[in-house]
Amino acid sequence: MFESPCKSINVLDAWSENQEELRETQPVSSRGTRKRQQNATLSVSAPQLCADDADKERKEKKYRPDEPIVRGIFQIGKKSHNVVLTATRVTWTPIQPETPTADHDVKRQEEYVELKDVFAVKVKRRRSAGQQTGGTLLGITLFQCKKKGLKLKEHAIHLNNLSEDHCEIWFKSLKEILSGFKNRPKSLKVFVNPISHKKEAYQIYLDEVAPLFKLADIEADVTITKRKGHALSILKDCSLEEHDGVVCVGGDGFVAEVAHGLLLRAQMDAGRDTDSIFTPVQAALPLGIIPAGSTNVVACSRIRRGMTAALHIIMGHHQPVDVCSFSSMGRLLRFGFSAMFGFGGRTLALAERHRWMPPSQRREFALIKTLANLKPEDCELSFITSHGAEDQINARVLYTIHSVIGEHGSWQTRQGLYLNISIMAIPCLCSTAPRGLAPNTRLNNGSMALIAVGNTSRSEFIKHLKRYNSTTNQFGFSFIETQTVKAVKLRPHSQGRCADDVSENEECNTKTMPIISSEGTYPWNIDADLLEVPSELLIRVHPQLLTLFGADMEEAEEAPVKCSCI
């Protein structure tokens, strides 16, 4: 029903190419054509009917934001309207207002749409069943991105007029303006994890995202991954110069893989040595996230609905975010947004060993069993505190001159038994924690939240977990320490074996016996992806290292979102 009559956004070339296309779609009888054009509701000055003159004038002249570019009469709904296009908006006013004559009454009925909120313009035609091209011209349609609460929705505005010339002038003028929005992508590299969301991730992309990309004339190069690490291997080798962004469709584990791939590719291109403690460079392309997984806390820290996420990408909304680097023995292991050690890591490790279960069942099973075998970790925890806005500015300066973040400041050390340790550079919003697992941090404040839960009884620990689901301070317990930090080192000292690593017939001797996996490694939950580390882990925050398509959010939406983050 909708088509673009021009192949190029260049106004002069588009007009000469499309005259032939438009003539081919008109009826054979020229008499019928003239009659239909005469009956069309058209009000446009003589210079505007001459396409070459109009195009030349637009090309040579820079219009003021409120200066009319083109005027015309269109039917909107059931009424005829006087419509005006300026460089910033389309305004329409009823030709015959329902209330008589006063100017303020006409002004009150005036409506408009800001062009910064319009993401597509299409020619509207009536076609018979099975007809792919041609058809009876009806007018043009503007597609607006409308905000409703935290959601973005598509809204169509139909401007009906039967004149080919009239619609062509308007179409080209609108396309020329819309093509001037620099942040809006024209080509995207899309990765889809086919096993995410009960193996429905690709269908989510086809139903909710692909039609919007097509409507916005965005070319999407889609790769359906075949195994874990597939997207990472492609990002390390493929050419990204022809793309304006990368999009991933999946859960937090898949998002972390693609984000890591983008950042690792940036380090390779910049010649950074990842086998040393280095200062990373920013990713060259922004990352779009279409949430479609069992865990979506990264996506929820921005927005969680597929259509809303797609519209943020189409509109070119950019949100810089802080990213953590995870290193062991001087070697980079990966980039990520959040990490959990202890209870969070053990729960994920147990769930991963039961992948044969449905996602919701294995999450519940792992949570209950880990709580039943709740044991502390013996750790040496060191950190460098962050000093808010002042420290954030210093971190950006250090980042710019390529100094090593985390080496500026004194280390503070704690030694003891901990049930869970969380380090998060983003709030990690989800329905389980609507204010976030780390409500005291933001997406790009240049710091991480360190939450250390000391050894306590199982009942007290469960009280702490339950508070995540309310607005009550979940950290208001004597056994919890919170810090705003820019670097963390964690060195486990456990040598025993217990909890989820024992067989069902074995029992632990004491409630305070520390635990370690039988393989001699320690499980970490990094963005809902299991990472086993044999020794000390160094975590550093890097301000605004990655740009996401989207917007910051203060709280998660109320609609239920299942996650396995705690």
Side-chain angles (χ1 to χ4, degrees):
M1 186 174 184
F2 299 105
E3 65 176 25
S4 294
C6 60
K7 305 295 182 183
S8 169
I9 61 174
N10 183 282
V11 174
L12 292 174
D13 294 341
W15 176 256
S16 60
E17 292 174 1
N18 285 309
Q19 283 297 87
E20 183 176 356
E21 287 185 29
L22 292 174
R23 283 197 295 270
E24 290 176 354
T25 63
Q26 292 174 350
V28 176
S29 171
S30 60
R31 180 180 301 177
T33 302
R34 286 194 298 270
K35 183 176 181 180
R36 189 168 64 253
Q37 290 178 344
Q38 289 171 359
N39 291 335
T41 54
L42 171 61
S43 175
V44 62
S45 63
Q48 292 169 322
L49 286 176
C50 179
D52 292 335
D53 292 343
D55 292 340
K56 184 177 180 180
E57 183 180 355
R58 276 197 301 271
K59 193 171 183 179
E60 294 177 351
K61 181 178 180 181
K62 291 184 178 180
Y63 289 90
R64 295 190 303 271
D66 58 345
E67 183 178 358
I69 298 174
V70 62
R71 297 177 182 270
I73 295 178
F74 289 90
Q75 184 174 330
I76 303 176
K78 296 183 179 180
K79 296 181 179 180
S80 295
H81 289 71
N82 182 28
V83 186
V84 179
L85 171 67
T86 67
T88 58
R89 63 172 56 177
V90 176
T91 306
W92 57 94
T93 309
I95 291 178
Q96 294 180 343
E98 294 181 357
T99 56
T101 68
D103 290 340
H104 65 84
D105 289 334
V106 175
K107 196 69 175 178
R108 188 171 57 191
Q109 295 185 53
E110 179 181 280
E111 297 183 69
Y112 65 89
V113 59
E114 297 284 353
L115 290 178
K116 65 181 179 61
D117 297 326
V118 174
F119 65 90
V121 55
K122 298 294 179 184
V123 172
K124 181 181 178 183
R125 297 181 184 275
R126 180 184 290 114
R127 291 171 178 161
S128 58
Q131 186 179 2
Q132 298 298 321
T133 60
T136 304
L137 175 70
L138 299 177
I140 60 175
T141 299
L142 305 180
F143 292 91
Q144 178 189 11
C145 176
K146 293 190 73 172
K147 186 174 183 180
K148 185 178 181 181
L150 298 176
K151 306 173 189 176
L152 297 182
K153 289 190 174 183
E154 166 209 341
H155 175 67
I157 303 171
H158 300 286
L159 307 178
N160 299 320
N161 190 300
L162 304 183
S163 168
E164 296 275 7
D165 289 342
H166 190 49
C167 291
E168 176 69 6
I169 292 173
W170 273 81
F171 177 85
K172 290 191 287 96
S173 300
L174 286 162
K175 288 287 285 186
E176 185 180 14
I177 296 173
L178 295 182
S179 66
F181 292 101
K182 301 300 183 184
N183 285 339
R184 297 187 182 182
K186 302 294 188 299
S187 175
L188 295 169
K189 178 65 180 174
V190 181
F191 293 97
V192 181
N193 183 2
I195 65 173
S196 292
H197 200 274
K198 303 177 182 178
K199 300 184 178 181
E200 296 177 352
Y202 186 50
Q203 197 61 45
I204 290 175
Y205 172 77
L206 292 178
D207 293 343
E208 299 184 20
V209 181
L212 289 172
F213 283 176
K214 183 178 180 180
L215 193 61
D217 297 325
I218 294 176
E219 294 184 6
D221 179 8
V222 182
T223 297
I224 302 175
T225 57
K226 298 179 180 179
R227 63 186 183 281
K228 187 175 181 180
H230 188 193
L232 174 60
S233 63
I234 292 176
L235 283 169
K236 289 169 66 176
D237 298 328
C238 74
S239 174
L240 297 174
E241 294 180 357
E242 61 188 31
H243 300 299
D244 303 312
V246 174
V247 176
C248 59
V249 185
D252 279 346
F254 191 58
V255 171
E257 177 184 335
V258 175
H260 174 62
L262 264 177
L263 288 166
L264 191 61
R265 175 61 180 273
Q267 312 319 307
M268 294 168 57
D269 292 343
R272 291 289 194 270
D273 179 13
T274 58
D275 288 333
S276 63
I277 302 301
F278 68 105
T279 300
V281 298
Q282 293 174 320
L285 297 178
L287 173 63
I289 303 173
I290 307 296
S294 57
T295 311
N296 296 311
V297 296
V298 176
C300 286
S301 295
R302 295 168 45 263
I303 203 69
R304 73 174 188 86
R305 296 181 181 272
M307 176 181 288
T308 298
L311 286 172
H312 276 301
I313 295 170
I314 291 169
M315 301 299 292
H317 296 160
H318 286 178
Q319 173 64 58
V321 293
D322 302 335
V323 179
C324 304
S325 62
F326 300 89
S327 306
S328 181
M329 295 182 289
R331 181 183 178 187
L332 175 70
L333 298 180
R334 68 179 299 162
F335 292 101
F337 302 98
S338 64
M340 290 184 183
F341 179 78
F343 175 77
R346 296 284 164 184
T347 303
L348 179 61
L350 185 58
E352 287 297 308
R353 290 201 291 271
H354 294 79
R355 296 289 295 185
W356 53 271
M357 289 184 176
S360 59
Q361 290 184 20
R362 71 169 177 263
R363 286 196 301 266
E364 186 175 350
F365 167 79
L367 179 66
I368 293 174
K369 187 170 182 181
T370 308
L371 279 173
N373 295 319
L374 186 66
K375 297 295 181 295
E377 301 275 6
D378 186 7
C379 306
E380 180 183 293
L381 177 65
S382 303
F383 55 87
I384 299 176
T385 58
S386 177
H387 301 291
E390 178 183 352
D391 191 71
Q392 181 184 3
I393 294 172
N394 293 335
R396 288 178 183 172
V397 173
L398 293 172
Y399 178 86
T400 303
I401 63 175
H402 305 297
S403 298
V404 178
I405 299 173
E407 295 300 320
H408 300 265
S410 59
W411 289 95
Q412 301 182 39
T413 302
R414 309 278 191 272
Q415 175 111 22
L417 298 176
Y418 292 94
L419 291 177
N420 189 72
I421 295 175
S422 300
I423 304 103
M424 299 178 175
I426 62 175
C428 293
L429 304 177
C430 60
S431 61
T432 306
R435 295 180 60 246
L437 298 177
N440 296 330
T441 191
R442 291 294 179 267
L443 290 178
N444 58 352
N445 63 352
S447 65
M448 302 178 292
L450 170 63
I451 305 160
V453 182
N455 192 25
T456 188
S457 66
R458 182 183 294 108
S459 61
E460 287 296 298
F461 184 69
I462 292 175
K463 286 181 182 178
H464 156 61
L465 294 182
K466 285 184 175 180
R467 282 199 185 177
Y468 276 104
N469 203 28
S470 68
T471 57
T472 307
N473 180 16
Q474 61 264 44
F475 309 131
F477 296 91
S478 60
F479 54 86
I480 297 179
E481 179 182 6
T482 62
Q483 295 283 348
T484 301
V485 299
K486 56 183 177 179
V488 175
K489 287 191 293 189
L490 193 145
R491 178 183 300 163
H493 291 310
S494 303
Q495 297 298 326
R497 183 173 70 92
C498 196
D500 50 296
D501 299 301
V502 302
S503 67
E504 294 183 1
N505 295 325
E506 296 181 51
E507 292 184 1
C508 297
N509 293 328
T510 68
K511 291 185 178 181
T512 59
M513 180 184 294
I515 56 179
I516 186 175
S517 64
S518 58
E519 298 84 2
T521 58
Y522 300 86
W524 282 81
N525 181 339
I526 298 182
D527 298 323
D529 196 15
L530 182 64
L531 180 67
E532 300 205 346
V533 182
S535 58
E536 177 182 281
L537 189 67
L538 170 64
I539 306 167
R540 298 182 297 146
V541 65
H542 306 282
Q544 302 185 16
L545 193 63
L546 184 66
T547 298
L548 298 181
F549 286 110
D552 195 358
M553 295 175 60
E554 294 297 326
E555 292 191 8
E557 298 181 57
E558 297 180 358
V561 182
K562 294 182 179 180
C563 77
S564 58
C565 44
I566 60 174

